[in-house]
Each structure stands twice: as structure tokens, then as C-alpha cells.
Amino acid sequence: MTTTLPVEAPLPDTAAPLPGETMLLDDAARLRAAAAFVREYESATLLPLLLPGLRGPELASVAAYCRFAHVGILLFPRDPRDLRDLLAASGLVADTPSLPSVVVRERLARRHRRDVAELDVQILRPRVHGPAGEPRAVEVFTLAVPEGSGLEPIAAHERALGHETHLAFALERPDPLVLRGLCAVLTRHGARPDGGGYNPHENGTVLYFTTPDTTCGYRRLELYAPGDHREVLAAHTSECPGTNRHSETLLHLLTGAWTTQALASFARLRLPEAMDTTVATGIRELARVTATRPDSLATLLRYLTMLGVVAEESDAADPDEPSDGQGAFRLTSLGRLLRADCPDTMRPLALMYAGPFYRSFAALDHSVRTGQPAFDHLFGENHFDHFARDPELADLFDRSMAASSRMFRPLPAHPVITAAAQAATPRTVVDVAGGNGELLGHILTAHPSLRGTLLERPHAVEAARRSLGSLGCGARCDYRSGDFADVPQGGDVYILSRILHDWDDDRCREILRHCARAMPAHADLLIVERLLPADGSPSLATAWDLHMMCNVGGRERRAEHYARLLADAGLELLDRSPLPLEAHVLHARKAAQPGPADGQGHARGSDAGVS
């Protein structure tokens, strides 16, 4: 049967044939065109044809994660023999095994208002080799349509419009965070969610997109991720035109508190330490070493599997361990961050966010009504004083701050720090309210020529003394107990890391004035904070803005807001640069003062060129 297809825009002269390059194509011609296309293209050349705005480093990054895997096409053979003839005529293996197609069957049923039981859609993936000999496939969906069948109208409609024809990219590393990120990149460049599904027969998740009008004749794109990613799928399909899943979306949002406590329980029970990232451990063994009930533990781990923190396997890898029918679990790279012995551990953050800060968020409405911290309302004092009274809680807070140390790891390479390290005479870095010395330790370890001064409350000073001593930096560091009014004078580089967001504007101006008074004319000030986006786009800073309001009465700010606060303190914002975890480092110095001769000179000391 032949049908008229819409004419597509032509590809370059060297391109493989497309379904739209001839006006009349039967199933065999469409299949041959699809196979030729798979043999021709690479990810890096194909993606810009689908999404013209995708280029440069972003294109390279997407291409590194997405491997062009196949062209998908829906065929309507009369019977199995007809299908074998179609495959053979296209140079494909005729006896390719098949699996049921859940996703396409359901899409067809919805589109044509048919019972899914009427539609026996199968998937075959005959192998095709790419230009470098890499294995690929033509993904053939088949729905048998015997002559005189009541399914012929479906076949005619689908052949004409090609709803299921698509180009597919397989994720090399099917991490949920990577999958979400790729979806965001594709939609930013004009792709629009167009359904998808989870196929339990092959344990794979597909996400469909429609792409803009381009020089490529294919208008649909598929991301294929091995494994069960139904949480990502739900968010994707909720964005599809004509869908209304607000209730489901809201339910996912409302259960966010469950996620926080599940992660904290996982950490408190020391499950990450009892699990391995390569070998799965059975439920009974995990229950034994963590003193938990096997059935209850299985419930928790299944939830954490949905989050990507652990992965479930059919059974333990140890053949000597009898099967208990409840499967086995291994730790993922994401879950590994909750191990206490992980170098980048985020365990203290999990315990803090599920502990005092979790309780204070229950009184968030108090902050919204009054403008006062919910933490103070709940505990009767501010969180600094509350933590100082409880040594264990104070230690947990300091460790939770250090758990985000990846934020400031690039700081030792900042031009201000490197210039100070290369100076002819020893320079001093002053870390104001430096916590347990995590940041100062990074700087002093990277630059043996530098000296350090740490200002903190007495209990934190002792923790910092131990920490810096263990790093071998203690002999080059001076420790001061005090408040912001006690900022040491005479330093060369001053640092305020995640300090200003704790306070309101008046207190920030006061802190900055203390720093300005202590700073020599040549000194530099580096401020580490998250910045609210100027365009209102989603960011961690927006979430932390709510957190700071609720727990300490502080706030996150935009860059221009910090510039005004600095100017009020006699300081000038010179530049800013990004750091990990959506943070930034702001570089400031004392504002220029009128010179004695022309009124335009800068009041700098002899070391004005340090930065």
C-alpha cells in the first residue's frame, strides 16, 4: 500500500535518503531509507540538525552523554512472512527476535480510541552499523494488518503522518540527574515533550520530544535510558500538550518531606556503610548488620531505589547467601555521598536538614506572617546560640557546613589568592567566621607560602585548631576568638564565606565596615555566596533564600544588591566568578579615594598590584 507523505526539507547533498525525499513510499522504501540514515550520521552532526541552537561546548557535552542509537519506524505488514520479506529487502536480518511494545501500543490506543488489547504491537531491532562500524539498529514497531482488517484506517493514518517515526539517542550513563539535565537542555533549544513510557519487558524508559522545523526530515526525538526512571518520566509527560497532571505533580511535591526523612534514616541507620557500590547485598544480611526488620527495611530501600540512592537487583551476588525473595540492593554513586567515610560526604547535611532545620520549617508560616525566623520562634533563641549550647549539635552544624566544601575548592586558584602566594614577602589570609577551618585549610595546603588567621567563636576555634593541625597547616595559622567587631587588622586577603546571607542588610553593612576598617589599602576581600538570578530562573539560591528566612532571618541576594552593601561600607565590587553548587566569589577592595593632585588617584599602598 502506498500513501502520499508530506515533503520534508532536504538534507545536504551527502546525506542519506529521507522518507520525505520521494512523494510515494511504501513500507519497504521507508524501511530502506531509515536503515541508510542510521548508517550515515553521528551524534555530533545529527543533534544540530534537530536543534539548530545547540552548538559549541554544550553540543559536545550533550553528544558525550547521548549516543545516536537508531531510527524508529512503525510498519504494518500483513503477516509474519510479509514482515520477514520487508526486512530482507532492506538488507536487515529477517529473523530478528521481537518483544511487546508497551509505549507505542498505548500511544496508538489513545490516538485512535482503541482498546489496547486490539493492538498487538511488537518491537524488533535489526542491527545496523554506523559509519565507524559501531553497532546501531533500526527500531521497527510492527502492527499486523491483514487485508480487510478493521485496522487498515490506523495503518493509513500512521503511514501518512509518521507519528512514531523518530530518531533515538541512548544515554551512556543513565543517571536520573543526567536525564533531567538533558531534558532541560533539549527543551531550552526548542524540543517539546511528546510522551513516553516505561517498558517492563526490557526495563527501559523512553522520553519522546518533537523538534522544531529543521533541515532534518525527522521531527521526533527519543531519549532512551536503561532502567526504571518513572519519576523523571512523570515530570516529562506532565509537560506534554493536552495533559493535565497537576494532581500528580502536587502529590510529588507534597511528599518531599518523606524524601528528606528517608535519606536521613538511611544515613542514621548506617546503611550506606553496610552496602557496596559494585556488589548487591541481600535484605536479610543488611537487616542483620543494621539491626532492622527485613520487611520494613525492604520498604525503605525500594523508596530509595526510586530516588536513585540505591539500586535493586534480583538477588544478592553472593551464591552462598540463600534467596529470601526480597531481592538485594547495592549503593549507587549518589548514595555513596551519605557514607561517613566518603571524602565528599553529605551525611551531616542529611542529619541537619532532617533534624533542627526540618522542625523549624514546620513553622515557616510564622516567618511569612511576622518576618521573624521560625527557628527562634520554635526554640526560643537564634540558631547560633542554640547550637553553641549543645556541643554535639554545634559539631554537626560545623560538619554540615564543611560538607559543602566542593563549593569553594576552586578558591585557592583565584587570582587574588595566587597573587598573594607569589608575593616576595609572606602574605596572610584572614578567614572571618571561618568555622572549623575547612576553607582556610584548602588555601594553606595549596599555597605553603601563605599564612592564615581564623576568627571564630571559642568552640569553633578549637575545632579549627584540630582540623588545621591534622592538615599540617597549624604552625602557619593564628587563631582569634571573637565576633565581627574583632576582625584582625593587617591582613592581605580577607574572606567572608557564606556569612552575609545569615544577616539582614543592616547587619551586613556593619560586618563589611568592620572588614573595611581592618583592611590595609592594598588588601582584597573575597565573598563566597549564592546569587539570586536576575531573570528569576530556577536556582539553588532561591531555595536557600527561603531557608535563610526561616532559620536565621537572613537572605540571599543578587549581585547588584551586594554591590550596594559594599559601597555603603566604603568598598567596591570589582568582579565576580562562578563556583560549584551555583555559588559565586565576589572580589572587592576599598573604594577609590580622590588623589592629592587631580582628584582621580587611588589610595593604594605599595602592594596595590597584588591582585
Side-chain angles (χ1 to χ4, degrees):
M1 178 178 181
T2 60
T3 56
T4 303
L5 294 181
V7 178
E8 308 283 358
L11 283 172
D13 293 339
T14 58
L18 292 172
E21 289 183 339
T22 59
M23 292 298 290
L24 299 175
L25 289 176
D26 58 15
D27 280 357
R30 293 165 60 228
L31 187 56
R32 286 194 300 271
F37 194 93
V38 173
R39 296 186 181 103
E40 179 77 23
Y41 282 96
E42 299 281 4
S43 297
T45 54
L46 183 53
L47 283 166
L49 295 179
L50 294 166
L51 303 167
L54 186 62
R55 59 175 64 91
E58 192 172 36
L59 168 61
S61 179
V62 172
Y65 281 105
C66 293
R67 173 178 54 83
F68 178 38
H70 66 255
V71 169
I73 186 171
L74 175 59
L75 303 180
F76 301 93
R78 292 185 297 276
D79 51 39
R81 180 177 178 177
D82 186 25
L83 174 61
R84 287 194 297 271
D85 291 344
L86 285 172
L87 293 170
S90 302
L92 303 173
V93 176
D95 294 323
T96 303
S98 65
L99 287 171
S101 169
V102 175
V103 177
V104 172
R105 182 185 63 180
E106 292 180 349
R107 284 170 62 88
L108 285 175
R110 286 194 301 271
R111 197 152 54 235
H112 297 279
R113 298 181 181 179
R114 296 292 188 104
D115 188 336
V116 292
E118 297 181 68
L119 308 175
D120 181 18
V121 182
Q122 298 287 312
I123 307 176
L124 303 87
R125 293 192 179 92
R127 300 291 292 274
V128 175
H129 293 291
E134 64 273 30
R136 292 181 180 169
V138 177
E139 184 173 70
V140 181
F141 301 101
T142 68
L143 174 63
V145 181
E147 288 187 17
S149 167
L151 299 177
E152 285 184 335
I154 295 179
H157 177 89
E158 294 295 329
R159 281 194 181 106
L161 297 181
H163 289 299
E164 301 304 329
T165 303
H166 65 268
L167 302 178
F169 296 83
L171 265 68
E172 297 287 355
R173 285 160 281 182
D175 182 279
L177 294 178
V178 171
L179 186 55
R180 289 180 187 275
L182 287 171
C183 289
V185 171
L186 295 179
T187 55
R188 190 167 67 250
H189 288 285
R192 293 292 176 263
D194 187 36
Y198 170 68
N199 191 341
H201 300 289
E202 58 183 32
N203 189 28
T205 305
V206 295
L207 306 177
Y208 289 123
F209 299 82
T210 56
T211 59
D213 288 317
T214 67
T215 57
C216 178
Y218 290 91
R219 290 292 313 281
R220 295 186 67 244
L221 180 154
E222 172 194 310
L223 281 184
Y224 176 80
D228 186 345
H229 301 280
R230 275 178 278 193
E231 188 172 2
V232 179
L233 176 65
H236 174 79
T237 55
S238 69
E239 298 297 324
C240 295
T243 60
N244 185 355
R245 301 197 174 185
H246 296 316
S247 297
E248 294 178 25
T249 300
L250 188 58
L251 276 177
H252 280 289
L253 296 174
L254 289 171
T255 58
W258 303 354
T259 297
T260 302
Q261 291 298 346
L263 292 171
S265 295
F266 185 60
R268 284 193 295 263
L269 292 169
R270 295 287 182 177
L271 279 159
E273 289 79 7
M275 300 177 71
D276 190 86
T277 56
T278 56
V279 178
T281 306
I283 284 291
R284 284 192 292 172
E285 174 61 15
L286 288 173
R288 184 188 67 80
V289 298
T290 59
T292 55
R293 288 175 55 90
D295 54 346
S296 301
L297 179 58
T299 299
L300 172 63
L301 291 177
R302 282 194 295 269
Y303 181 83
L304 293 171
T305 299
M306 186 173 66
L307 303 179
V309 175
V310 300
E312 184 174 8
E313 299 186 2
S314 59
D315 216 334
D318 185 354
D320 296 327
E321 183 178 348
S323 174
D324 54 18
Q326 292 181 305
F329 296 82
R330 62 174 176 81
L331 196 65
T332 66
S333 56
L334 183 65
R336 180 177 170 272
L337 292 173
L338 292 173
R339 291 182 65 131
D341 58 356
C342 174
D344 297 320
T345 182
M346 298 181 75
R347 183 177 188 273
L349 280 173
L351 300 181
M352 183 62 68
Y353 292 160
F357 291 151
Y358 187 90
R359 293 178 60 192
S360 62
F361 258 99
L364 176 62
D365 53 333
H366 173 82
S367 293
V368 177
R369 281 196 306 267
T370 68
Q372 301 301 313
F375 192 102
D376 298 21
H377 173 69
L378 189 66
F379 293 99
E381 58 186 341
N382 70 66
H383 98 285
F384 297 108
D385 292 336
H386 185 75
F387 291 169
R389 296 182 200 284
D390 185 336
E392 290 187 9
L393 195 55
D395 177 64
L396 176 62
F397 177 72
D398 288 339
R399 287 187 289 115
S400 72
M401 293 292 286
S404 298
S405 63
R406 190 164 67 90
M407 176 188 293
F408 47 67
R409 281 183 183 163
L411 206 59
H414 191 280
V416 165
I417 302 291
T418 56
Q422 294 166 4
T425 57
R427 301 301 168 95
T428 299
V429 176
V430 180
D431 194 354
V432 179
N436 66 358
E438 184 83 11
L439 171 55
L440 190 56
H442 278 290
I443 293 173
L444 297 183
T445 300
H447 301 292
S449 64
L450 291 176
R451 297 189 58 82
T453 298
L454 185 136
L455 173 69
E456 252 297 357
R457 292 186 174 192
H459 78 275
V461 165
E462 293 308 310
R465 193 185 301 273
R466 293 191 299 271
S467 174
L468 291 167
S470 68
L471 294 173
C473 305
R476 290 187 283 131
C477 195
D478 183 26
Y479 305 92
R480 305 284 182 90
S481 295
D483 204 341
F484 293 114
D486 304 307
V487 175
Q489 297 187 355
D492 301 288
V493 179
Y494 288 76
I495 296 177
L496 287 169
S497 176
R498 298 175 294 175
I499 302 300
L500 297 181
H501 73 161
D502 287 337
W503 308 99
D504 61 23
D505 284 0
D506 288 341
R507 182 63 164 151
C508 283
R509 292 187 188 93
E510 183 181 348
I511 293 169
L512 291 171
R513 287 179 181 126
H514 287 311
C515 291
R517 281 194 291 269
M519 291 168 60
H522 71 273
D524 296 279
L525 173 63
L526 299 181
I527 299 170
V528 177
E529 295 288 358
R530 289 190 173 96
L531 298 178
L532 288 171
D535 60 359
S537 57
S539 74
L540 286 175
T542 304
W544 256 257
D545 198 22
L546 187 69
H547 170 68
M548 302 313 294
M549 177 186 75
C550 181
N551 286 288
V552 299
R555 61 182 299 184
E556 305 295 347
R557 299 170 173 88
R558 294 180 178 177
E560 58 268 24
H561 194 154
Y562 279 115
R564 292 195 299 271
L565 295 176
L566 286 163
D568 290 343
L571 298 163
E572 179 184 4
L573 178 61
L574 301 180
D575 58 55
R576 60 177 177 171
S577 53
L579 293 173
L581 300 178
E582 298 187 24
H584 284 77
V585 55
L586 309 177
H587 175 206
R589 274 187 167 180
K590 285 190 171 181
Q593 301 295 323
D598 59 10
Q600 302 299 316
H602 289 261
R604 301 290 190 211
S606 58
D607 297 319
V610 167
S611 67

